[in-house]
Amino acid sequence: MNKGLWILVVLGIIGAIIFFNAKGTYNSLVTSQEGVEAQWAEVENNYQRRADLIPNLVETVKGYKDFEQETLTGVAEARAKVGQLTVDKEVLENPELMARFSEAQGELGSVLSRLLSVAENYPDLKANEGFRDLRVQLEGTENRITVARNRFNETARAHNTQVKTFPNNIYANFFGFDEVSYFQSAQGSEQAPKVEF
């Protein structure tokens, strides 16, 4: 075999190695990105579930004429603030948008905790079957939110590690795969609200 043919064979082998390595890395990055987006969707679904429960909870509480109006107003305002946020894929790649989302959700969780705490002063309300059912659903939803946020952060960590490590970082940069922001709860909201009566 002549020298030129050997060079072509070696270059072909090197090219094939690079191609299959790039293909495997790209597919792995796509899978990782899809995992992050799926976990984020789960976080959003649980927050939406909470947002859907709030009007029913507020209506149940409104039936008690002496209930603190300031607390109900706080819940309505916090829910409206969350509703004004546009949540899309960009939130995942922008730490500032993620922080605003986290802060708004934290505020809503805080006013819900306050509402449930204030409700302790109303024995008739605590005895209301509808209120009890909503309280249990809300407590379950808060727990689901905590689990979904933790799973999202675990998936984001794995993705970010993959995007940052060599040689994946070269392919990630070339193909446009970015790190994603972690979900960081507002200060004091790392625990689901205690709902005990």
Side-chain angles (χ1 to χ4, degrees), residues 116-136:
L116 294 173
S117 294
V118 169
E120 290 184 42
N121 299 327
Y122 297 85
D124 292 342
L125 177 59
K126 288 191 322 186
N128 179 298
E129 187 176 332
F131 178 77
R132 283 194 319 256
D133 290 346
L134 287 167
R135 185 197 75 217
V136 168

Side-chain angles (χ1 to χ4, degrees), residues 94-163:
N94 186 327
E96 185 180 311
L97 291 176
M98 179 66 86
R100 274 193 289 204
F101 177 81
S102 299
E103 183 180 319
Q105 292 293 349
E107 286 177 30
L108 182 56
S110 177
V111 295
L112 282 174
S113 292
R114 196 170 341 133
L115 178 127
L116 294 173
S117 294
V118 169
E120 290 184 42
N121 299 327
Y122 297 85
D124 292 342
L125 177 59
K126 288 191 322 186
N128 179 298
E129 187 176 332
F131 178 77
R132 283 194 319 256
D133 290 346
L134 287 167
R135 185 197 75 217
V136 168
Q137 287 184 43
L138 185 60
E139 183 180 47
T141 299
E142 291 296 333
N143 289 332
R144 288 178 186 169
I145 288 169
T146 300
V147 169
R149 288 187 313 217
N150 289 337
R151 286 182 182 160
F152 169 77
N153 280 343
E154 289 170 10
T155 305
R157 182 196 52 76
H159 173 76
N160 289 344
T161 300
Q162 189 171 16
V163 166

Side-chain angles (χ1 to χ4, degrees), residues 64-123:
Y64 292 83
K65 61 182 176 184
D66 295 333
F67 197 84
E68 296 178 18
Q69 191 60 38
E70 180 182 326
T71 303
L72 291 175
T73 302
V75 170
E77 288 173 356
R79 184 173 184 270
K81 186 175 181 181
V82 166
Q84 291 172 352
L85 292 174
T86 303
V87 181
D88 54 19
K89 186 178 174 183
E90 188 178 334
V91 169
L92 297 176
E93 297 169 357
N94 186 327
E96 185 180 311
L97 291 176
M98 179 66 86
R100 274 193 289 204
F101 177 81
S102 299
E103 183 180 319
Q105 292 293 349
E107 286 177 30
L108 182 56
S110 177
V111 295
L112 282 174
S113 292
R114 196 170 341 133
L115 178 127
L116 294 173
S117 294
V118 169
E120 290 184 42
N121 299 327
Y122 297 85

Side-chain angles (χ1 to χ4, degrees), residues 17-38:
I17 290 170
I18 291 171
F19 171 77
F20 286 110
N21 183 278
K23 178 183 173 222
T25 302
Y26 177 82
N27 289 340
S28 179
L29 288 166
V30 167
T31 301
S32 177
Q33 182 71 35
E34 289 297 317
V36 166
E37 291 175 14

